[in-house]
Amino acid sequence: MGAVAFVVLVLLLIVLVFGICIGLFLAWVWRRRRHPEPPPPPPPPPCPPYKIPDQLGEADLTAQISVRLVGTTANGVPLATPAGTPPPNKVIWVDHGNEVLVHLDSTTVRILDRMVLVSVDLETDQTGRTPLVCSFAVSGAGELGGLIATTDELPRGPGTLASAWGQQLQTAVWSTLMGLVNDHASERSLTPRALSASAGTLSLQAGAALTSASGGAA
């Protein structure tokens, strides 16, 4: 009889444990039905495409330079155009009382291996309308030339116009290229690293800010 009682006790314990497990399971199911889990959050919206790609062809670079050469007004305020209005195709530059008409719509770019050529028509009463060509020697594809370029003392073109306005044009064109490099890096939240030229293509490179051994930005 003792053995039978022991077996019955074990069976009762098994039934009790099984019943408790079933009860806990049913309670869990009931709570899930009454308090369903919140739906997962919606996926983040896709990032808009970058305005400035990593590589620009001659037509794209021409458009970028011609728009950026507009510059600022005489009082230092950037020239504003109403929304939907195309930028001006001509502007007047003033330097120490001298004026020159810059034909922005004449801007032409040639990209060669390690070389960027930018031609812009300038016009004065003394010289008439004449193109000046700025040349910038930069690094080639895959080379670590950074943001350094070399150029001629003056742009190629008639001596009178080049000597009067050549350096201003060189400075303006190089500033547009550096502005393009900075904007390319800024919209990626990175730091400008390099620009390089191969036949028909200008490549822009950005990356994380370099740091010195002490941890400061290089």
Side-chain angles (χ1 to χ4, degrees), residues 60-81:
D60 294 331
L61 186 56
T62 297
Q64 289 282 351
I65 291 177
S66 63
V67 170
R68 292 167 182 264
L69 281 178
V70 171
T72 59
T73 58
N75 59 4
V77 178
L79 183 64
T81 56

Side-chain angles (χ1 to χ4, degrees), residues 26-36:
L26 292 176
W28 177 76
V29 171
W30 179 79
R31 290 187 63 184
R32 282 181 60 88
R33 288 183 176 179
R34 188 174 180 182
H35 304 286

Side-chain angles (χ1 to χ4, degrees), residues 48-139:
Y50 294 126
K51 295 180 180 180
I52 303 174
D54 294 336
Q55 295 182 328
L56 295 97
E58 293 177 343
D60 294 331
L61 186 56
T62 297
Q64 289 282 351
I65 291 177
S66 63
V67 170
R68 292 167 182 264
L69 281 178
V70 171
T72 59
T73 58
N75 59 4
V77 178
L79 183 64
T81 56
T85 303
N89 53 20
K90 299 179 181 67
V91 293
I92 296 176
W93 287 355
V94 180
D95 183 42
H96 295 91
N98 298 318
E99 296 183 352
V100 65
L101 180 63
V102 183
H103 294 267
L104 302 175
D105 53 356
S106 71
T107 304
T108 305
V109 173
R110 287 289 309 278
I111 306 174
L112 309 176
D113 186 35
R114 300 181 178 87
M115 181 71 67
V116 179
L117 302 174
V118 180
S119 173
V120 184
D121 288 2
L122 272 59
E123 182 178 352
T124 66
D125 293 337
Q126 295 76 23
T127 63
R129 177 172 174 171
T130 308
L132 292 182
V133 180
C134 302
S135 62
F136 299 97
V138 298
S139 60

